Amino acid sequence: MSNKKTSQDEAMPESPHKSKALLYLAFSLSAIGAVLMVIPTILIFMPWIELKWENLFQYPHTYFVIAGFVVLTAGLILHRKITAPMDMQKTEELRSRLE
């Protein structure tokens, strides 16, 4: 079991991320996706829009919300893939600094 753990530790990169460009891309995708979801969602709840199931997909705001959800999910997945998990010892050290 210890051999398995050491091989996993060796496979992990030393830096917290593989590339700054990919990290910035992940954050920008997440931000763009959040904006694409929030603004049309606010506009959908305005009183002049009569939203029903029959006309839900006739408004372009619905497609912006769906696109925002897809882009946000892609950004979060990319961020999770390129960021290495934090070591437990380092987590405890940072937690003790907060206390």
Side-chain angles (χ1 to χ4, degrees):
M1 185 169 195
S2 63
N3 292 339
K4 192 178 225 182
K5 189 169 185 170
T6 56
S7 66
Q8 287 177 353
D9 291 339
E10 290 172 2
M12 305 237 323
E14 292 292 325
S15 64
H17 49 76
K18 296 177 184 176
S19 170
K20 283 192 178 198
L22 281 177
L23 188 65
Y24 293 148
L25 177 67
F27 280 132
S28 63
L29 281 176
S30 299
I32 290 169
V35 168
L36 276 174
M37 286 179 67
V38 168
I39 293 174
T41 303
I42 293 171
L43 291 175
I44 283 174
F45 289 112
M46 291 297 163
W48 65 81
I49 295 178
E50 187 178 337
L51 194 62
K52 297 179 184 175
W53 284 109
E54 293 84 26
N55 64 358
L56 179 66
F57 291 103
Q58 292 176 355
Y59 290 113
H61 304 303
T62 307
Y63 295 106
F64 282 114
V65 171
I66 294 170
F69 182 72
V70 169
V71 172
L72 176 67
T73 304
L76 292 176
I77 290 172
L78 180 62
H79 183 265
R80 176 71 178 117
K81 290 290 183 186
I82 64 175
T83 305
M86 189 177 282
D87 186 27
M88 289 302 292
Q89 182 180 7
K90 191 168 192 164
T91 305
E92 291 299 323
E93 179 184 326
L94 291 173
R95 187 175 296 158
S96 67
R97 285 185 192 172
L98 290 174
E99 295 172 354

